[in-house]
Amino acid sequence: MSWSVISTWKMSLEGNRKAGRILESHGTAGDAVLLGVQDVEDNPAFHSVGYSGLPDAGGHVTLDAGYMDGDTLEFGAVGCLEGYRSPAAIARSLIHYPYNNFLVGEGAAAYAENHGFEKRDNLTKDSAERYLRERNLNQTHSSYKGHDTVCFLARDEKGTIVSCTSTSGLYLKEHGRVGDTPLPGCGYYADSTIGAAAATGVGEEIMKGALSRAVVDLMAQGMHVQEAADKALADLKERLGENIRPISLIAMDKDGNTGVSTTLAFPFCVAKEGGDTELYLAEPSETGITSIRKIEDPSELSMD
Amino acid sequence: MSWSVISTWKMSLEGNRKAGRILESHGTAGDAVLLGVQDVEDNPAFHSVGYSGLPDAGGHVTLDAGYMDGDTLEFGAVGCLEGYRSPAAIARSLIHYPYNNFLVGEGAAAYAENHGFEKRDNLTKDSAERYLRERNLNQTHSSYKGHDTVCFLARDEKGTIVSCTSTSGLYLKEHGRVGDTPLPGCGYYADSTIGAAAATGVGEEIMKGALSRAVVDLMAQGMHVQEAADKALADLKERLGENIRPISLIAMDKDGNTGVSTTLAFPFCVAKEGGDTELYLAEPSETGITSIRKIEDPSELSMD
């Protein structure tokens, strides 16, 4: 069996390479996705995840993350967590408990403190300045900037599939707002016997469709991974109408084949056994089948 | 078209009657489910929902609730909310916003305060004493007591289907723990063109299957509501094995027909157009089809 890893946005390029190297060295899907997500969490250039994430309307950088092991369906998640380096690592650690797998706010921070997770003030000078500038411009949520969740799906050579997500959430969100990212079935899902999916975009729209579970359900019915991603998004589009807000989906079947669907131009990264990480651009097409092309030069894409 | 309402546990009997009267008087499904849930939230005899709910391991009564309108797929939800009378009412009010539909902790409380929702200290002498007694007995979560979420699904005469859920959550949960109850796709889902579902039991187990979405997906494939509820639960049982923890599901199709599936004896209430609320007991059976019988005398059932 062969390994495979897919991740959202150009910002995950280096993380995807790291995840690929873990998998190439016979590492686990769990270690691969966490390392991939952490590469983005730690990079202050990206203002939608982890360090230098944009603050909420109360000035707090609050982070959401989710992790699911497709062998056992065990998951861990944190929401509205402030002051820690890696919400994804904390989410992953929570899968080891029979209960209390999703913790939010002060309770999540207390758990992280008691378990010795690395602290970090994620509000940087840059993100604070951006927040003040944008707020003063009276920007609305309708801007898509900063909705960009990092999502990784990986399959290791043993066939285990894992999903992992991390975000600072909706642009200029209210304090206490939690999106799809830490919610099993909405922002991510993984079942090693079927496949996995994860979502980025407007969390409130993704949650209306419980979209990650919808993609996996379609694969369970025998649909090809690309077709399942396109159909799950098309079904929600049909239901919500033309005003559906931005959503992008990544998916993987149990054999490590990947699929993507999106309502707008969406860069993503894939590495597979025997190859290096490649950057792709997905775009919606009139046919309903997502158009995908390889980007040879990452600098060609202006977006993260 | 005819109205219908189904709700979880014997504790919802009076609330189901109230919901039925709303629907019989040509009221909306939204008003019906909220009134039904609030009847349970306000009753201090029930220690798993609202007033007199059991506190978490930090001594706080923190409440979770969700609400979904099946016409638009709009939802509202609160998690880990302390100090308010009706988390379900607050959840319902959140559906009117394009973003920030799921609020947790202090952010949820700030929203409730700013919007004038009724405050209430939900920790009663009775629930505080129970908490201390149970904690001293070193009870573990493995006890099923107090996992009982109230869930209502209703269809009104116009064909709108709404789901609403409310709970104080897992027995002796950690502070900050959020379960399936406020999560679309996990604790509840509603699509008036297909049907709805909601879940009670061990939230962490329900979330592994994103079970409410799974039931609705099966109905979307053309499965009968009872068959869909049984198959969604059977699929998760098969996946998790015989040690699956307690779960009970209620479901409704777009025409208002109801279905139930459960891993253990589970009382529920149904009212339909032209009839009064009836109490039923569902039990798992060897055939895989849930066995359901009407309970003529509610006092026959010792559980809530």
Side-chain angles (χ1 to χ4, degrees), chain A residues 174, chain B residues 84 90 93-94 97 103 107-118:
Chain A
E174 295 298 323
Chain B
Y84 284 85
I90 300 166
S93 77
L94 284 163
Y97 301 91
L103 297 176
Y111 167 85
E113 163 99 39
N114 293 337
H115 290 78
F117 283 95
E118 189 180 340

Side-chain angles (χ1 to χ4, degrees), chain A residues 26-27 32 39 70 85 104 117 126 134 139 146 155 186 193 207-209 225 237 256 265:
Chain A
H26 316 290
D39 182 81
R85 180 194 152 205
V104 301
F117 282 95
D126 191 18
E134 303 281 4
Q139 289 271 337
R155 177 190 192 277
C186 293
T193 68
M207 292 156 89
K208 286 180 191 171
V225 57
K237 260 191 212 167

Side-chain angles (χ1 to χ4, degrees), chain B residues 208-274:
Chain B
K208 288 181 190 170
L211 259 185
S212 293
R213 171 75 207 202
V215 176
V216 175
D217 272 345
L218 291 168
M219 286 193 278
Q221 291 171 45
M223 209 173 271
H224 181 272
V225 57
Q226 179 58 45
E227 198 188 349
D230 278 331
K231 180 157 172 30
L233 190 53
D235 285 349
L236 189 64
K237 260 192 211 166
E238 193 186 322
R239 194 65 184 73
L240 298 180
E242 284 309 305
N243 294 328
I244 190 170
R245 294 171 295 176
I247 296 175
S248 304
L249 282 172
I250 57 173
M252 178 179 283
D253 71 17
K254 66 183 171 55
D255 299 314
N257 301 303
T258 55
V260 168
S261 193
T262 184
T263 63
L264 77 178
F266 166 60
F268 65 99
C269 304
V270 176
K272 293 194 177 177
E273 189 157 323

